[in-house]
Amino acid sequence: MAAADPGREGGQVRRALLSLVALALPSRQRPRLPRTPVGGVRSDRGEPRRRGDEARRRAAPRLSNFRLAYLVRGDLLLARSRPLLTFGNVVKTVPQDRIEGLREEALARLRAMRSRPSEDRLPRYVLQLHPGQKHVLVVDSRRSRLYVFGNDQGRPRLVADFYVTLGKNGVEKIREGDQKTPIGVYPHVTGNLPRSKLTDFYGAGAFPINYPNEWDRRRGRNGHGIWLHGVPADLYSRPPRASDGCLVFANPDLESIGRYVQVGRRRSSSPTQSNGAMPRR
């Protein structure tokens, strides 16, 4: 019978929390995270604590509406007094569905960070890009991640990726009101709706796509109003499954994605829902 090592388990949770904080910082500001030797346990507790203080200090000014960051901060402060055995240590009076949504977001962000596709892995649905198509956007629904591929002489090349919220009931939209995100190829971004023309619900703006397309209609799928859009000012992000079918991003991410979208051109951008991993090419 082996006894659990709370010091090791607590250290693993703490390092995962520091990774989440680092993900929210620009690369030039990200603190170096403590490393644990394989099969070993750190004995210098001062260094991880100093790194945690540095991450919290740098993240605080720019994450005032990032609820996940506050949960992480609470756990990092708690780690000063005792080992952490789980993520999201809060009092029982806090609604558990909210905490569960934050846990799911944390897992999605960590998994994406640890399994970012290498440059030799490409989406199986994108074989070659038309010369007039500068970028293609591919969504992996299992990872809650949007990947941006640039056109490198017809060959897709990964240039950026972003956390994305999808429909409350998952993917494969069939009918209006099913709260699912459609799976398909949507090469026509029909508009660029600025913040000034929308309610605060849509955040930094919106990019409607051409759902349903001709293939969807032939398959009997209906509905409308599938957009890429932001979040209200009092939020930084939403859980992985929380929209009514749209693709929802943190406002800074949506603004970045906007640089890759060519509005109104049928070959400009292809938001594609993918349930599969990116195979080696």
Side-chain angles (χ1 to χ4, degrees), residues 28-54:
R28 66 180 181 276
Q29 295 182 3
R30 289 177 184 171
R32 293 169 60 92
L33 300 181
R35 296 178 180 271
T36 299
V38 176
V41 180
R42 291 187 62 89
S43 59
D44 59 326
R45 297 182 182 273
E47 183 65 10
R49 176 172 175 173
R50 187 182 70 80
R51 299 296 188 192
D53 290 343
E54 181 183 359

mmCIF file with all atom_site columns, all heavy atoms in Angstrom, residues 28-54:
data_model
loop_
_atom_site.group_PDB
_atom_site.id
_atom_site.type_symbol
_atom_site.label_atom_id
_atom_site.label_alt_id
_atom_site.label_comp_id
_atom_site.label_asym_id
_atom_site.label_entity_id
_atom_site.label_seq_id
_atom_site.pdbx_PDB_ins_code
_atom_site.Cartn_x
_atom_site.Cartn_y
_atom_site.Cartn_z
_atom_site.occupancy
_atom_site.B_iso_or_equiv
_atom_site.pdbx_formal_charge
_atom_site.auth_seq_id
_atom_site.auth_comp_id
_atom_site.auth_asym_id
_atom_site.auth_atom_id
_atom_site.pdbx_PDB_model_num
ATOM 1   N N   . ARG A 1 28 ? 6.330  38.064 -23.462 1.00 0.00 ? 28 ARG A N   1
ATOM 2   C CA  . ARG A 1 28 ? 7.499  38.726 -22.907 1.00 0.00 ? 28 ARG A CA  1
ATOM 3   C C   . ARG A 1 28 ? 7.374  38.958 -21.413 1.00 0.00 ? 28 ARG A C   1
ATOM 4   O O   . ARG A 1 28 ? 8.354  39.268 -20.737 1.00 0.00 ? 28 ARG A O   1
ATOM 5   C CB  . ARG A 1 28 ? 7.724  40.058 -23.622 1.00 0.00 ? 28 ARG A CB  1
ATOM 6   C CG  . ARG A 1 28 ? 6.636  41.087 -23.384 1.00 0.00 ? 28 ARG A CG  1
ATOM 7   C CD  . ARG A 1 28 ? 6.914  42.383 -24.131 1.00 0.00 ? 28 ARG A CD  1
ATOM 8   N NE  . ARG A 1 28 ? 5.911  43.394 -23.901 1.00 0.00 ? 28 ARG A NE  1
ATOM 9   C CZ  . ARG A 1 28 ? 4.782  43.474 -24.551 1.00 0.00 ? 28 ARG A CZ  1
ATOM 10  N NH1 . ARG A 1 28 ? 4.508  42.573 -25.507 1.00 0.00 ? 28 ARG A NH1 1
ATOM 11  N NH2 . ARG A 1 28 ? 3.908  44.426 -24.299 1.00 0.00 ? 28 ARG A NH2 1
ATOM 12  N N   . GLN A 1 29 ? 6.150  38.836 -20.851 1.00 0.00 ? 29 GLN A N   1
ATOM 13  C CA  . GLN A 1 29 ? 5.952  39.072 -19.419 1.00 0.00 ? 29 GLN A CA  1
ATOM 14  C C   . GLN A 1 29 ? 5.759  37.788 -18.644 1.00 0.00 ? 29 GLN A C   1
ATOM 15  O O   . GLN A 1 29 ? 5.622  37.818 -17.438 1.00 0.00 ? 29 GLN A O   1
ATOM 16  C CB  . GLN A 1 29 ? 4.717  39.966 -19.196 1.00 0.00 ? 29 GLN A CB  1
ATOM 17  C CG  . GLN A 1 29 ? 4.864  41.362 -19.752 1.00 0.00 ? 29 GLN A CG  1
ATOM 18  C CD  . GLN A 1 29 ? 3.643  42.212 -19.461 1.00 0.00 ? 29 GLN A CD  1
ATOM 19  O OE1 . GLN A 1 29 ? 2.708  41.764 -18.801 1.00 0.00 ? 29 GLN A OE1 1
ATOM 20  N NE2 . GLN A 1 29 ? 3.650  43.436 -19.951 1.00 0.00 ? 29 GLN A NE2 1
ATOM 21  N N   . ARG A 1 30 ? 5.744  36.643 -19.309 1.00 0.00 ? 30 ARG A N   1
ATOM 22  C CA  . ARG A 1 30 ? 5.443  35.406 -18.604 1.00 0.00 ? 30 ARG A CA  1
ATOM 23  C C   . ARG A 1 30 ? 6.595  35.005 -17.696 1.00 0.00 ? 30 ARG A C   1
ATOM 24  O O   . ARG A 1 30 ? 7.743  34.938 -18.121 1.00 0.00 ? 30 ARG A O   1
ATOM 25  C CB  . ARG A 1 30 ? 5.168  34.281 -19.607 1.00 0.00 ? 30 ARG A CB  1
ATOM 26  C CG  . ARG A 1 30 ? 3.844  34.482 -20.323 1.00 0.00 ? 30 ARG A CG  1
ATOM 27  C CD  . ARG A 1 30 ? 3.589  33.423 -21.352 1.00 0.00 ? 30 ARG A CD  1
ATOM 28  N NE  . ARG A 1 30 ? 2.353  33.719 -22.076 1.00 0.00 ? 30 ARG A NE  1
ATOM 29  C CZ  . ARG A 1 30 ? 1.957  33.060 -23.144 1.00 0.00 ? 30 ARG A CZ  1
ATOM 30  N NH1 . ARG A 1 30 ? 2.689  32.076 -23.629 1.00 0.00 ? 30 ARG A NH1 1
ATOM 31  N NH2 . ARG A 1 30 ? 0.832  33.397 -23.736 1.00 0.00 ? 30 ARG A NH2 1
ATOM 32  N N   . PRO A 1 31 ? 6.290  34.712 -16.416 1.00 0.00 ? 31 PRO A N   1
ATOM 33  C CA  . PRO A 1 31 ? 7.348  34.310 -15.504 1.00 0.00 ? 31 PRO A CA  1
ATOM 34  C C   . PRO A 1 31 ? 7.816  32.903 -15.820 1.00 0.00 ? 31 PRO A C   1
ATOM 35  O O   . PRO A 1 31 ? 7.078  32.087 -16.350 1.00 0.00 ? 31 PRO A O   1
ATOM 36  C CB  . PRO A 1 31 ? 6.658  34.365 -14.126 1.00 0.00 ? 31 PRO A CB  1
ATOM 37  C CG  . PRO A 1 31 ? 5.218  34.113 -14.429 1.00 0.00 ? 31 PRO A CG  1
ATOM 38  C CD  . PRO A 1 31 ? 4.973  34.758 -15.771 1.00 0.00 ? 31 PRO A CD  1
ATOM 39  N N   . ARG A 1 32 ? 9.072  32.619 -15.504 1.00 0.00 ? 32 ARG A N   1
ATOM 40  C CA  . ARG A 1 32 ? 9.581  31.256 -15.646 1.00 0.00 ? 32 ARG A CA  1
ATOM 41  C C   . ARG A 1 32 ? 8.940  30.387 -14.574 1.00 0.00 ? 32 ARG A C   1
ATOM 42  O O   . ARG A 1 32 ? 9.006  30.694 -13.389 1.00 0.00 ? 32 ARG A O   1
ATOM 43  C CB  . ARG A 1 32 ? 11.100 31.244 -15.496 1.00 0.00 ? 32 ARG A CB  1
ATOM 44  C CG  . ARG A 1 32 ? 11.827 31.965 -16.622 1.00 0.00 ? 32 ARG A CG  1
ATOM 45  C CD  . ARG A 1 32 ? 13.269 32.127 -16.269 1.00 0.00 ? 32 ARG A CD  1
ATOM 46  N NE  . ARG A 1 32 ? 13.914 30.838 -16.058 1.00 0.00 ? 32 ARG A NE  1
ATOM 47  C CZ  . ARG A 1 32 ? 14.542 30.156 -17.021 1.00 0.00 ? 32 ARG A CZ  1
ATOM 48  N NH1 . ARG A 1 32 ? 14.609 30.655 -18.240 1.00 0.00 ? 32 ARG A NH1 1
ATOM 49  N NH2 . ARG A 1 32 ? 15.115 29.001 -16.768 1.00 0.00 ? 32 ARG A NH2 1
ATOM 50  N N   . LEU A 1 33 ? 8.344  29.280 -14.982 1.00 0.00 ? 33 LEU A N   1
ATOM 51  C CA  . LEU A 1 33 ? 7.643  28.419 -14.038 1.00 0.00 ? 33 LEU A CA  1
ATOM 52  C C   . LEU A 1 33 ? 8.610  27.423 -13.425 1.00 0.00 ? 33 LEU A C   1
ATOM 53  O O   . LEU A 1 33 ? 9.518  26.934 -14.095 1.00 0.00 ? 33 LEU A O   1
ATOM 54  C CB  . LEU A 1 33 ? 6.507  27.681 -14.745 1.00 0.00 ? 33 LEU A CB  1
ATOM 55  C CG  . LEU A 1 33 ? 5.457  28.599 -15.368 1.00 0.00 ? 33 LEU A CG  1
ATOM 56  C CD1 . LEU A 1 33 ? 4.374  27.756 -16.023 1.00 0.00 ? 33 LEU A CD1 1
ATOM 57  C CD2 . LEU A 1 33 ? 4.859  29.519 -14.334 1.00 0.00 ? 33 LEU A CD2 1
ATOM 58  N N   . PRO A 1 34 ? 8.425  27.078 -12.144 1.00 0.00 ? 34 PRO A N   1
ATOM 59  C CA  . PRO A 1 34 ? 9.334  26.130 -11.500 1.00 0.00 ? 34 PRO A CA  1
ATOM 60  C C   . PRO A 1 34 ? 9.215  24.757 -12.128 1.00 0.00 ? 34 PRO A C   1
ATOM 61  O O   . PRO A 1 34 ? 8.136  24.307 -12.485 1.00 0.00 ? 34 PRO A O   1
ATOM 62  C CB  . PRO A 1 34 ? 8.850  26.124 -10.029 1.00 0.00 ? 34 PRO A CB  1
ATOM 63  C CG  . PRO A 1 34 ? 7.429  26.568 -10.101 1.00 0.00 ? 34 PRO A CG  1
ATOM 64  C CD  . PRO A 1 34 ? 7.359  27.540 -11.232 1.00 0.00 ? 34 PRO A CD  1
ATOM 65  N N   . ARG A 1 35 ? 10.335 24.084 -12.268 1.00 0.00 ? 35 ARG A N   1
ATOM 66  C CA  . ARG A 1 35 ? 10.357 22.743 -12.843 1.00 0.00 ? 35 ARG A CA  1
ATOM 67  C C   . ARG A 1 35 ? 10.641 21.726 -11.743 1.00 0.00 ? 35 ARG A C   1
ATOM 68  O O   . ARG A 1 35 ? 11.442 21.967 -10.837 1.00 0.00 ? 35 ARG A O   1
ATOM 69  C CB  . ARG A 1 35 ? 11.438 22.628 -13.926 1.00 0.00 ? 35 ARG A CB  1
ATOM 70  C CG  . ARG A 1 35 ? 11.190 23.530 -15.117 1.00 0.00 ? 35 ARG A CG  1
ATOM 71  C CD  . ARG A 1 35 ? 12.318 23.381 -16.109 1.00 0.00 ? 35 ARG A CD  1
ATOM 72  N NE  . ARG A 1 35 ? 12.105 24.236 -17.261 1.00 0.00 ? 35 ARG A NE  1
ATOM 73  C CZ  . ARG A 1 35 ? 11.434 23.880 -18.337 1.00 0.00 ? 35 ARG A CZ  1
ATOM 74  N NH1 . ARG A 1 35 ? 10.903 22.666 -18.402 1.00 0.00 ? 35 ARG A NH1 1
ATOM 75  N NH2 . ARG A 1 35 ? 11.288 24.701 -19.355 1.00 0.00 ? 35 ARG A NH2 1
ATOM 76  N N   . THR A 1 36 ? 10.008 20.590 -11.820 1.00 0.00 ? 36 THR A N   1
ATOM 77  C CA  . THR A 1 36 ? 10.238 19.513 -10.874 1.00 0.00 ? 36 THR A CA  1
ATOM 78  C C   . THR A 1 36 ? 10.932 18.376 -11.589 1.00 0.00 ? 36 THR A C   1
ATOM 79  O O   . THR A 1 36 ? 10.441 17.912 -12.627 1.00 0.00 ? 36 THR A O   1
ATOM 80  C CB  . THR A 1 36 ? 8.903  19.009 -10.281 1.00 0.00 ? 36 THR A CB  1
ATOM 81  O OG1 . THR A 1 36 ? 8.283  20.088 -9.604  1.00 0.00 ? 36 THR A OG1 1
ATOM 82  C CG2 . THR A 1 36 ? 9.145  17.867 -9.317  1.00 0.00 ? 36 THR A CG2 1
ATOM 83  N N   . PRO A 1 37 ? 12.080 17.881 -11.091 1.00 0.00 ? 37 PRO A N   1
ATOM 84  C CA  . PRO A 1 37 ? 12.743 16.761 -11.745 1.00 0.00 ? 37 PRO A CA  1
ATOM 85  C C   . PRO A 1 37 ? 11.839 15.553 -11.819 1.00 0.00 ? 37 PRO A C   1
ATOM 86  O O   . PRO A 1 37 ? 11.009 15.317 -10.931 1.00 0.00 ? 37 PRO A O   1
ATOM 87  C CB  . PRO A 1 37 ? 13.952 16.504 -10.834 1.00 0.00 ? 37 PRO A CB  1
ATOM 88  C CG  . PRO A 1 37 ? 14.127 17.762 -10.033 1.00 0.00 ? 37 PRO A CG  1
ATOM 89  C CD  . PRO A 1 37 ? 12.765 18.345 -9.889  1.00 0.00 ? 37 PRO A CD  1
ATOM 90  N N   . VAL A 1 38 ? 11.987 14.738 -12.871 1.00 0.00 ? 38 VAL A N   1
ATOM 91  C CA  . VAL A 1 38 ? 11.182 13.525 -13.016 1.00 0.00 ? 38 VAL A CA  1
ATOM 92  C C   . VAL A 1 38 ? 11.471 12.602 -11.850 1.00 0.00 ? 38 VAL A C   1
ATOM 93  O O   . VAL A 1 38 ? 12.618 12.258 -11.565 1.00 0.00 ? 38 VAL A O   1
ATOM 94  C CB  . VAL A 1 38 ? 11.502 12.826 -14.346 1.00 0.00 ? 38 VAL A CB  1
ATOM 95  C CG1 . VAL A 1 38 ? 10.741 11.515 -14.437 1.00 0.00 ? 38 VAL A CG1 1
ATOM 96  C CG2 . VAL A 1 38 ? 11.173 13.736 -15.510 1.00 0.00 ? 38 VAL A CG2 1
ATOM 97  N N   . GLY A 1 39 ? 10.414 12.191 -11.166 1.00 0.00 ? 39 GLY A N   1
ATOM 98  C CA  . GLY A 1 39 ? 10.567 11.277 -10.044 1.00 0.00 ? 39 GLY A CA  1
ATOM 99  C C   . GLY A 1 39 ? 11.017 11.954 -8.765  1.00 0.00 ? 39 GLY A C   1
ATOM 100 O O   . GLY A 1 39 ? 11.256 11.286 -7.768  1.00 0.00 ? 39 GLY A O   1
ATOM 101 N N   . GLY A 1 40 ? 11.154 13.264 -8.762  1.00 0.00 ? 40 GLY A N   1
ATOM 102 C CA  . GLY A 1 40 ? 11.636 13.958 -7.588  1.00 0.00 ? 40 GLY A CA  1
ATOM 103 C C   . GLY A 1 40 ? 10.631 14.955 -7.068  1.00 0.00 ? 40 GLY A C   1
ATOM 104 O O   . GLY A 1 40 ? 9.649  15.277 -7.714  1.00 0.00 ? 40 GLY A O   1
ATOM 105 N N   . VAL A 1 41 ? 10.892 15.470 -5.866  1.00 0.00 ? 41 VAL A N   1
ATOM 106 C CA  . VAL A 1 41 ? 10.022 16.456 -5.236  1.00 0.00 ? 41 VAL A CA  1
ATOM 107 C C   . VAL A 1 41 ? 10.868 17.662 -4.872  1.00 0.00 ? 41 VAL A C   1
ATOM 108 O O   . VAL A 1 41 ? 11.975 17.523 -4.346  1.00 0.00 ? 41 VAL A O   1
ATOM 109 C CB  . VAL A 1 41 ? 9.352  15.882 -3.966  1.00 0.00 ? 41 VAL A CB  1
ATOM 110 C CG1 . VAL A 1 41 ? 8.449  16.915 -3.324  1.00 0.00 ? 41 VAL A CG1 1
ATOM 111 C CG2 . VAL A 1 41 ? 8.581  14.627 -4.303  1.00 0.00 ? 41 VAL A CG2 1
ATOM 112 N N   . ARG A 1 42 ? 10.383 18.850 -5.179  1.00 0.00 ? 42 ARG A N   1
ATOM 113 C CA  . ARG A 1 42 ? 11.139 20.052 -4.839  1.00 0.00 ? 42 ARG A CA  1
ATOM 114 C C   . ARG A 1 42 ? 11.230 20.219 -3.331  1.00 0.00 ? 42 ARG A C   1
ATOM 115 O O   . ARG A 1 42 ? 10.273 20.010 -2.604  1.00 0.00 ? 42 ARG A O   1
ATOM 116 C CB  . ARG A 1 42 ? 10.474 21.292 -5.437  1.00 0.00 ? 42 ARG A CB  1
ATOM 117 C CG  . ARG A 1 42 ? 10.547 21.364 -6.945  1.00 0.00 ? 42 ARG A CG  1
ATOM 118 C CD  . ARG A 1 42 ? 10.019 22.707 -7.413  1.00 0.00 ? 42 ARG A CD  1
ATOM 119 N NE  . ARG A 1 42 ? 10.813 23.804 -6.895  1.00 0.00 ? 42 ARG A NE  1
ATOM 120 C CZ  . ARG A 1 42 ? 11.885 24.282 -7.514  1.00 0.00 ? 42 ARG A CZ  1
ATOM 121 N NH1 . ARG A 1 42 ? 12.304 23.741 -8.627  1.00 0.00 ? 42 ARG A NH1 1
ATOM 122 N NH2 . ARG A 1 42 ? 12.548 25.290 -6.993  1.00 0.00 ? 42 ARG A NH2 1
ATOM 123 N N   . SER A 1 43 ? 12.391 20.651 -2.870  1.00 0.00 ? 43 SER A N   1
ATOM 124 C CA  . SER A 1 43 ? 12.547 20.910 -1.448  1.00 0.00 ? 43 SER A CA  1
ATOM 125 C C   . SER A 1 43 ? 12.592 22.397 -1.147  1.00 0.00 ? 43 SER A C   1
ATOM 126 O O   . SER A 1 43 ? 12.395 22.808 -0.013  1.00 0.00 ? 43 SER A O   1
ATOM 127 C CB  . SER A 1 43 ? 13.846 20.256 -0.947  1.00 0.00 ? 43 SER A CB  1
ATOM 128 O OG  . SER A 1 43 ? 14.961 20.776 -1.662  1.00 0.00 ? 43 SER A OG  1
ATOM 129 N N   . ASP A 1 44 ? 12.885 23.233 -2.177  1.00 0.00 ? 44 ASP A N   1
ATOM 130 C CA  . ASP A 1 44 ? 12.952 24.665 -1.942  1.00 0.00 ? 44 ASP A CA  1
ATOM 131 C C   . ASP A 1 44 ? 11.589 25.284 -2.193  1.00 0.00 ? 44 ASP A C   1
ATOM 132 O O   . ASP A 1 44 ? 11.229 25.598 -3.297  1.00 0.00 ? 44 ASP A O   1
ATOM 133 C CB  . ASP A 1 44 ? 14.019 25.322 -2.830  1.00 0.00 ? 44 ASP A CB  1
ATOM 134 C CG  . ASP A 1 44 ? 13.748 25.099 -4.306  1.00 0.00 ? 44 ASP A CG  1
ATOM 135 O OD1 . ASP A 1 44 ? 13.236 24.017 -4.639  1.00 0.00 ? 44 ASP A OD1 1
ATOM 136 O OD2 . ASP A 1 44 ? 14.045 26.023 -5.095  1.00 0.00 ? 44 ASP A OD2 1
ATOM 137 N N   . ARG A 1 45 ? 10.837 25.483 -1.143  1.00 0.00 ? 45 ARG A N   1
ATOM 138 C CA  . ARG A 1 45 ? 9.473  25.989 -1.271  1.00 0.00 ? 45 ARG A CA  1
ATOM 139 C C   . ARG A 1 45 ? 9.456  27.500 -1.523  1.00 0.00 ? 45 ARG A C   1
ATOM 140 O O   . ARG A 1 45 ? 8.456  28.048 -1.966  1.00 0.00 ? 45 ARG A O   1
ATOM 141 C CB  . ARG A 1 45 ? 8.671  25.663 -0.007  1.00 0.00 ? 45 ARG A CB  1
ATOM 142 C CG  . ARG A 1 45 ? 8.530  24.161 0.209   1.00 0.00 ? 45 ARG A CG  1
ATOM 143 C CD  . ARG A 1 45 ? 7.685  23.864 1.426   1.00 0.00 ? 45 ARG A CD  1
ATOM 144 N NE  . ARG A 1 45 ? 7.585  22.433 1.648   1.00 0.00 ? 45 ARG A NE  1
ATOM 145 C CZ  . ARG A 1 45 ? 6.688  21.655 1.093   1.00 0.00 ? 45 ARG A CZ  1
ATOM 146 N NH1 . ARG A 1 45 ? 5.819  22.167 0.240   1.00 0.00 ? 45 ARG A NH1 1
ATOM 147 N NH2 . ARG A 1 45 ? 6.648  20.362 1.346   1.00 0.00 ? 45 ARG A NH2 1
ATOM 148 N N   . GLY A 1 46 ? 10.551 28.181 -1.235  1.00 0.00 ? 46 GLY A N   1
ATOM 149 C CA  . GLY A 1 46 ? 10.572 29.621 -1.419  1.00 0.00 ? 46 GLY A CA  1
ATOM 150 C C   . GLY A 1 46 ? 10.494 30.044 -2.864  1.00 0.00 ? 46 GLY A C   1
ATOM 151 O O   . GLY A 1 46 ? 9.825  31.009 -3.213  1.00 0.00 ? 46 GLY A O   1
ATOM 152 N N   . GLU A 1 47 ? 11.178 29.323 -3.756  1.00 0.00 ? 47 GLU A N   1
ATOM 153 C CA  . GLU A 1 47 ? 11.207 29.703 -5.159  1.00 0.00 ? 47 GLU A CA  1
ATOM 154 C C   . GLU A 1 47 ? 9.838  29.591 -5.815  1.00 0.00 ? 47 GLU A C   1
ATOM 155 O O   . GLU A 1 47 ? 9.401  30.538 -6.478  1.00 0.00 ? 47 GLU A O   1
ATOM 156 C CB  . GLU A 1 47 ? 12.225 28.853 -5.915  1.00 0.00 ? 47 GLU A CB  1
ATOM 157 C CG  . GLU A 1 47 ? 12.375 29.215 -7.383  1.00 0.00 ? 47 GLU A CG  1
ATOM 158 C CD  . GLU A 1 47 ? 12.932 30.611 -7.583  1.00 0.00 ? 47 GLU A CD  1
ATOM 159 O OE1 . GLU A 1 47 ? 13.381 31.226 -6.587  1.00 0.00 ? 47 GLU A OE1 1
ATOM 160 O OE2 . GLU A 1 47 ? 12.909 31.103 -8.714  1.00 0.00 ? 47 GLU A OE2 1
ATOM 161 N N   . PRO A 1 48 ? 9.085  28.456 -5.690  1.00 0.00 ? 48 PRO A N   1
ATOM 162 C CA  . PRO A 1 48 ? 7.730  28.424 -6.254  1.00 0.00 ? 48 PRO A CA  1
ATOM 163 C C   . PRO A 1 48 ? 6.833  29.524 -5.705  1.00 0.00 ? 48 PRO A C   1
ATOM 164 O O   . PRO A 1 48 ? 6.025  30.096 -6.435  1.00 0.00 ? 48 PRO A O   1
ATOM 165 C CB  . PRO A 1 48 ? 7.218  27.041 -5.854  1.00 0.00 ? 48 PRO A CB  1
ATOM 166 C CG  . PRO A 1 48 ? 8.452  26.220 -5.647  1.00 0.00 ? 48 PRO A CG  1
ATOM 167 C CD  . PRO A 1 48 ? 9.480  27.176 -5.104  1.00 0.00 ? 48 PRO A CD  1
ATOM 168 N N   . ARG A 1 49 ? 6.988  29.840 -4.412  1.00 0.00 ? 49 ARG A N   1
ATOM 169 C CA  . ARG A 1 49 ? 6.159  30.899 -3.831  1.00 0.00 ? 49 ARG A CA  1
ATOM 170 C C   . ARG A 1 49 ? 6.496  32.242 -4.470  1.00 0.00 ? 49 ARG A C   1
ATOM 171 O O   . ARG A 1 49 ? 5.601  33.041 -4.780  1.00 0.00 ? 49 ARG A O   1
ATOM 172 C CB  . ARG A 1 49 ? 6.380  30.960 -2.327  1.00 0.00 ? 49 ARG A CB  1
ATOM 173 C CG  . ARG A 1 49 ? 5.616  32.100 -1.652  1.00 0.00 ? 49 ARG A CG  1
ATOM 174 C CD  . ARG A 1 49 ? 5.709  31.990 -0.155  1.00 0.00 ? 49 ARG A CD  1
ATOM 175 N NE  . ARG A 1 49 ? 5.089  33.141 0.495   1.00 0.00 ? 49 ARG A NE  1
ATOM 176 C CZ  . ARG A 1 49 ? 4.914  33.239 1.802   1.00 0.00 ? 49 ARG A CZ  1
ATOM 177 N NH1 . ARG A 1 49 ? 5.312  32.264 2.589   1.00 0.00 ? 49 ARG A NH1 1
ATOM 178 N NH2 . ARG A 1 49 ? 4.352  34.307 2.329   1.00 0.00 ? 49 ARG A NH2 1
ATOM 179 N N   . ARG A 1 50 ? 7.804  32.506 -4.692  1.00 0.00 ? 50 ARG A N   1
ATOM 180 C CA  . ARG A 1 50 ? 8.190  33.764 -5.313  1.00 0.00 ? 50 ARG A CA  1
ATOM 181 C C   . ARG A 1 50 ? 7.646  33.849 -6.730  1.00 0.00 ? 50 ARG A C   1
ATOM 182 O O   . ARG A 1 50 ? 7.167  34.898 -7.165  1.00 0.00 ? 50 ARG A O   1
ATOM 183 C CB  . ARG A 1 50 ? 9.711  33.891 -5.338  1.00 0.00 ? 50 ARG A CB  1
ATOM 184 C CG  . ARG A 1 50 ? 10.192 35.258 -5.819  1.00 0.00 ? 50 ARG A CG  1
ATOM 185 C CD  . ARG A 1 50 ? 11.707 35.309 -5.871  1.00 0.00 ? 50 ARG A CD  1
ATOM 186 N NE  . ARG A 1 50 ? 12.208 34.478 -6.954  1.00 0.00 ? 50 ARG A NE  1
ATOM 187 C CZ  . ARG A 1 50 ? 12.237 34.855 -8.227  1.00 0.00 ? 50 ARG A CZ  1
ATOM 188 N NH1 . ARG A 1 50 ? 11.752 36.037 -8.577  1.00 0.00 ? 50 ARG A NH1 1
ATOM 189 N NH2 . ARG A 1 50 ? 12.726 34.062 -9.159  1.00 0.00 ? 50 ARG A NH2 1
ATOM 190 N N   . ARG A 1 51 ? 7.695  32.729 -7.482  1.00 0.00 ? 51 ARG A N   1
ATOM 191 C CA  . ARG A 1 51 ? 7.168  32.716 -8.836  1.00 0.00 ? 51 ARG A CA  1
ATOM 192 C C   . ARG A 1 51 ? 5.670  32.977 -8.825  1.00 0.00 ? 51 ARG A C   1
ATOM 193 O O   . ARG A 1 51 ? 5.138  33.674 -9.688  1.00 0.00 ? 51 ARG A O   1
ATOM 194 C CB  . ARG A 1 51 ? 7.453  31.370 -9.508  1.00 0.00 ? 51 ARG A CB  1
ATOM 195 C CG  . ARG A 1 51 ? 8.918  31.029 -9.638  1.00 0.00 ? 51 ARG A CG  1
ATOM 196 C CD  . ARG A 1 51 ? 9.644  31.992 -10.541 1.00 0.00 ? 51 ARG A CD  1
ATOM 197 N NE  . ARG A 1 51 ? 10.994 31.533 -10.792 1.00 0.00 ? 51 ARG A NE  1
ATOM 198 C CZ  . ARG A 1 51 ? 11.942 32.255 -11.348 1.00 0.00 ? 51 ARG A CZ  1
ATOM 199 N NH1 . ARG A 1 51 ? 11.682 33.500 -11.716 1.00 0.00 ? 51 ARG A NH1 1
ATOM 200 N NH2 . ARG A 1 51 ? 13.148 31.760 -11.540 1.00 0.00 ? 51 ARG A NH2 1
ATOM 201 N N   . GLY A 1 52 ? 4.966  32.388 -7.842  1.00 0.00 ? 52 GLY A N   1
ATOM 202 C CA  . GLY A 1 52 ? 3.535  32.614 -7.749  1.00 0.00 ? 52 GLY A CA  1
ATOM 203 C C   . GLY A 1 52 ? 3.203  34.066 -7.479  1.00 0.00 ? 52 GLY A C   1
ATOM 204 O O   . GLY A 1 52 ? 2.282  34.634 -8.067  1.00 0.00 ? 52 GLY A O   1
ATOM 205 N N   . ASP A 1 53 ? 3.983  34.710 -6.571  1.00 0.00 ? 53 ASP A N   1
ATOM 206 C CA  . ASP A 1 53 ? 3.771  36.127 -6.296  1.00 0.00 ? 53 ASP A CA  1
ATOM 207 C C   . ASP A 1 53 ? 3.987  36.955 -7.547  1.00 0.00 ? 53 ASP A C   1
ATOM 208 O O   . ASP A 1 53 ? 3.234  37.897 -7.832  1.00 0.00 ? 53 ASP A O   1
ATOM 209 C CB  . ASP A 1 53 ? 4.733  36.585 -5.196  1.00 0.00 ? 53 ASP A CB  1
ATOM 210 C CG  . ASP A 1 53 ? 4.378  35.996 -3.842  1.00 0.00 ? 53 ASP A CG  1
ATOM 211 O OD1 . ASP A 1 53 ? 3.227  35.521 -3.696  1.00 0.00 ? 53 ASP A OD1 1
ATOM 212 O OD2 . ASP A 1 53 ? 5.241  36.005 -2.947  1.00 0.00 ? 53 ASP A OD2 1
ATOM 213 N N   . GLU A 1 54 ? 5.028  36.611 -8.334  1.00 0.00 ? 54 GLU A N   1
ATOM 214 C CA  . GLU A 1 54 ? 5.318  37.364 -9.555  1.00 0.00 ? 54 GLU A CA  1
ATOM 215 C C   . GLU A 1 54 ? 4.194  37.219 -10.567 1.00 0.00 ? 54 GLU A C   1
ATOM 216 O O   . GLU A 1 54 ? 3.773  38.197 -11.196 1.00 0.00 ? 54 GLU A O   1
ATOM 217 C CB  . GLU A 1 54 ? 6.629  36.855 -10.163 1.00 0.00 ? 54 GLU A CB  1
ATOM 218 C CG  . GLU A 1 54 ? 7.032  37.585 -11.435 1.00 0.00 ? 54 GLU A CG  1
ATOM 219 C CD  . GLU A 1 54 ? 8.302  36.998 -12.032 1.00 0.00 ? 54 GLU A CD  1
ATOM 220 O OE1 . GLU A 1 54 ? 8.853  36.046 -11.446 1.00 0.00 ? 54 GLU A OE1 1
ATOM 221 O OE2 . GLU A 1 54 ? 8.716  37.492 -13.084 1.00 0.00 ? 54 GLU A OE2 1
#
